[in-house]
Amino acid sequence: MIFRQLFDATSGTYTYLIASRRGGEALIIDPVLEKVDRYLQLVRDLDVKLVKAIDTHLHADHITGLGALRDRTQCVTVMGEQTKADVVSIRVAEGDTVDVEGIALEALYTPGHTDDSYSYLMQDRVFTGDTLLIRGTGRTDFQNGDPRAQYESIFNKLLKLPTETLVYPAHDYKGDTVSTIGEERACNPRLQVKSVDEYVDLMNNLKLANPKMMDVAVPANIHVGLAQDDVAHREWTLDIAEALALMGNPDVAFVDLREAKERCKHGVIPNSLHAPYVDLMENVHAGGMLYELARATSRRLLFYCAFGERSAMAVRAAQGAGLGSACHIKGGINAWKKAGGPLNT
Ligand SMILES: [Fe+2]
């Protein structure tokens, strides 16, 4: 396995790049905007393909690298379903897995630091975001933070993991890089409390200054979506009413870009093809399934995904491959569902 812990000294952020092998797919956790060139260099050096970028929560102390990585690698962005970020490709809930080739991360909903905080469990290690830090815990005094929820997340979820589980946090300001669940249970000063009330009291009296970057980072991190205003005004972006009107039209092929488990969970537009986003480039170029379908039948490709981000990227890729009529559904299945569009479940 390839496992790299990268550090941004300005914000004290740890970023993790993980792949199962050289030449394979990779994912990145909590990338920092200013370090994106460094990550992409490492991706090339290690000969891996970045396919997913995850933020454990909406950060207040640095601007996320999610949008820049998506724009430069066409990777899929991932956050929790509670996030206020405008558009991410995949929104996970408790128990969902985030997969790339040879790797599965289990999403654990661990609110408290923010209400969109997730931890990710991978075999012998857990990425705890700002929920559980080494000898500390993430502050709970802004962004819908809640010390009571954090107590639950830590004591009833993270500390229930096996003692030897490695703890990889999103930050450290002292130079520590890794800990274990057992070590934190025994030595983390914030966790030496007798009750939830004692913990709440402790967290409510920390009297911390707001992070320096907060006024810049939070608004920026809410708008990570693929220049949505720009995308929305293109003629290749169809709203739900326009897409509904094309159902059953023999000249249009609805193409679902989501992963199999997203389809199971949220349903599928009847009579649509399944062409997962990860294989998109292969599919839209000469010889690929979608390219040949569009060319042989003159059908217009109508892409859709969960929220409209992958599908907007797919339109650009298809147009680049010569399929000029490709279009997509604004807001994806999420908007389709809200409008009462038909779904097979
Ligand atoms: Fe944070």
Side-chain angles (χ1 to χ4, degrees):
M1 186 175 71
I2 293 171
F3 179 81
R4 294 299 165 92
Q5 183 179 34
L6 298 138
F7 187 58
D8 173 54
T10 312
S11 60
T13 303
Y14 285 129
T15 301
Y16 302 92
L17 180 72
I18 310 165
S20 63
R21 62 175 179 92
R22 280 187 89 89
E25 294 177 354
L27 64 80
I28 196 163
I29 302 176
D30 288 330
V32 175
L33 179 62
E34 287 77 11
K35 290 287 188 286
V36 161
D37 285 335
R38 170 69 192 127
Y39 308 143
L40 293 177
Q41 182 60 49
L42 187 58
V43 160
R44 284 190 292 275
D45 292 349
L46 297 171
D47 186 28
V48 292
K49 182 184 177 209
L50 185 65
V51 296
K52 285 185 181 162
I54 305 174
D55 263 355
T56 51
H57 62 286
L58 195 97
H59 297 283
D61 59 346
H62 66 267
I63 298 179
T64 175
L66 240 54
L69 286 170
R70 175 210 49 227
D71 293 344
R72 292 175 63 179
T73 69
Q74 285 71 54
C75 71
V76 165
T77 53
V78 182
M79 287 187 82
E81 64 179 2
Q82 293 80 1
T83 189
K84 286 170 194 67
D86 55 353
V87 179
V88 286
S89 293
I90 295 181
R91 291 175 184 236
V92 295
E94 167 77 18
D96 284 349
T97 57
V98 179
D99 301 304
V100 304
E101 177 203 349
I103 289 165
L105 301 186
E106 183 187 345
L108 308 176
Y109 182 42
T110 51
H113 169 60
T114 63
D115 58 359
D116 69 346
S117 287
Y118 276 75
S119 299
Y120 290 89
L121 182 62
M122 182 183 89
Q123 300 159 12
D124 63 345
R125 60 199 65 195
V126 61
F127 303 95
T128 53
D130 288 1
T131 302
L132 177 59
L133 305 174
I134 299 173
R135 308 298 190 266
T137 57
R139 60 193 298 173
T140 54
D141 56 339
F142 57 73
Q143 286 189 286
N144 295 321
D146 178 350
R148 212 163 275 278
Q150 191 174 57
Y151 179 93
E152 287 299 314
S153 297
I154 294 174
F155 282 86
N156 293 327
K157 213 169 264 181
L158 295 176
L159 295 188
K160 298 272 186 283
L161 295 170
T163 309
E164 60 282 8
T165 309
L166 298 168
V167 172
Y168 284 101
H171 289 290
D172 193 85
Y173 309 99
K174 314 172 297 296
D176 291 318
T177 55
V178 61
S179 180
T180 66
I181 289 294
E183 200 180 309
E184 289 312 308
R185 189 187 292 131
C187 306
N188 189 322
R190 296 248 176 105
L191 306 186
Q192 312 310 311
V193 290
K194 291 185 188 59
S195 67
V196 59
D197 291 331
E198 196 184 325
Y199 185 75
V200 170
D201 224 40
L202 175 70
M203 294 307 286
N204 283 344
N205 287 294
L206 294 176
K207 300 192 174 64
L208 301 167
N210 280 343
K212 288 193 282 294
M213 285 283 286
M214 185 169 168
D215 294 338
V216 180
V218 171
N221 291 341
I222 286 175
H223 299 294
V224 293
L226 187 67
Q228 287 297 311
D229 291 340
D230 178 39
V231 166
H233 293 120
R234 301 300 186 94
E235 71 285 353
W236 44 261
T237 294
L238 305 188
D239 63 25
I240 298 297
E242 290 170 315
L244 276 166
L246 293 176
M247 279 197 75
N249 183 327
D251 298 327
V252 177
F254 282 66
V255 180
D256 185 358
L257 298 165
R258 295 170 303 156
E259 298 179 5
K261 55 179 187 280
E262 297 178 88
R263 288 158 57 84
C264 283
K265 191 165 168 183
H266 299 288
V268 175
I269 297 178
N271 300 316
S272 50
L273 303 168
H274 184 209
Y277 179 78
V278 68
D279 302 323
L280 182 77
M281 283 304 172
E282 222 166 276
N283 278 332
V284 294
H285 282 98
M289 189 251 290
L290 295 173
Y291 182 91
E292 297 305 326
L293 171 93
R295 280 290 150 99
T297 64
S298 305
R299 288 166 83 187
R300 183 179 194 194
L301 300 178
L302 174 52
F303 292 110
Y304 70 94
C305 59
F307 300 98
E309 180 164 83
R310 279 169 285 183
S311 57
M313 292 193 283
V315 169
R316 288 172 176 169
Q319 289 174 345
L323 303 174
S325 70
C327 52
H328 83 126
I329 303 180
K330 183 185 177 186
I333 280 288
N334 182 53
W336 181 267
K337 245 188 201 171
K338 283 183 187 153
L343 285 171
N344 288 341
T345 46

